[in-house]
Amino acid sequence: MGQGVREERRDQTRRSLLLQSRQLFATRGYQAVGLAEIVSAAGVTKGALYHHFASKVELFQAVLTQVQQEVGDRVAAIADAQPDPWSRLTAGCQAFLTASADPEFQRIMLIDGPAVLGWHEWRALDEAASGRHLADALADLIAAGMIAPQPVAPLSHLLSGAMNEAALWLAGSTDPADLAATQAALSRLIDALRVS
């Protein structure tokens, strides 16, 4: 068997492990899913799993990183399609709330993520996935004079924290109207930042 074939099989095994564990974590939660179930669903051995991931936590972290990157990419694509800096900020923030209302994303990204990895590790992954984009959008608005001059980092963390808290609240909500109400509240909060 050639090197290329072995690499392709390794990549396929990793992709299968990520796909199957993601589906299981999203539907049942991290605590309820065992490694035996994951390897069975992926059609691989525990040895193959341990070749790619040292532990269930490491596998979950890879899934969480994938989910956060997808949400970050989705938000960035929506924001970047807007015609001006203000619309980019507002559309991006609304896109984050919409994406975080997806039950798959909620369970992995918002509920199990901080519980499994701890707040600091989860926050670092969140910052890497979307924090820079938010900070850049706010810096552009300050430079354009649309938001009062101020340090970007505190404002970015405050807005990110508000959106993450709203997303966590939505994850436990049973009222479908709560997403629209939260999006309206977010619009009012963001609009209060605008000076021109």
Side-chain angles (χ1 to χ4, degrees):
M1 183 182 332
Q3 179 70 19
V5 172
R6 282 193 297 272
E7 286 177 14
E8 178 57 33
R9 283 190 179 171
R10 278 194 296 270
D11 290 346
Q12 178 57 39
T13 297
R14 181 179 170 80
R15 284 191 301 271
S16 181
L17 285 164
L18 286 170
L19 175 66
Q20 296 304 322
S21 60
R22 179 175 173 163
Q23 290 172 350
L24 290 165
F25 292 149
T27 56
R28 301 208 359 252
Y30 176 84
Q31 294 297 334
V33 177
L35 289 178
E37 188 174 3
I38 292 169
V39 296
S40 175
V44 301
T45 65
K46 273 194 180 179
L49 182 141
Y50 286 122
H51 176 76
H52 294 280
F53 304 100
S55 65
K56 182 178 165 186
V57 171
E58 189 176 297
L59 174 60
F60 178 79
Q61 184 173 353
V63 168
L64 174 62
T65 299
Q66 185 182 65
V67 167
Q68 285 183 315
Q69 188 62 51
E70 285 177 24
V71 170
D73 290 348
R74 183 183 298 183
V75 169
I78 290 170
D80 291 345
Q82 302 306 309
D84 61 80
W86 189 259
S87 297
R88 283 191 286 281
L89 173 70
T90 57
C93 290
Q94 295 295 351
F96 172 79
L97 276 185
T98 300
S100 66
D102 181 317
E104 175 187 0
F105 292 153
Q106 286 177 341
R107 184 68 191 229
I108 293 170
M109 191 172 73
L110 301 169
I111 297 169
D112 285 344
V116 172
L117 299 181
W119 175 254
H120 292 291
E121 180 70 21
W122 178 83
R123 185 68 188 109
L125 290 173
D126 181 59
E127 182 75 17
S130 61
R132 179 191 48 78
H133 211 77
L134 177 59
D136 288 349
L138 292 169
D140 288 348
L141 289 167
I142 291 169
M146 299 177 85
I147 292 178
Q150 59 190 289
V152 171
L155 181 58
S156 176
H157 281 87
L158 284 167
L159 190 52
S160 176
M163 289 187 295
N164 281 333
E165 183 60 32
L168 283 168
W169 177 72
L170 287 169
S173 170
T174 56
D175 186 347
D178 284 342
L179 176 59
T182 302
Q183 288 175 317
L186 179 61
S187 289
R188 289 188 295 274
L189 178 71
I190 294 170
D191 286 346
L193 297 173
R194 191 168 185 162
V195 293
S196 63

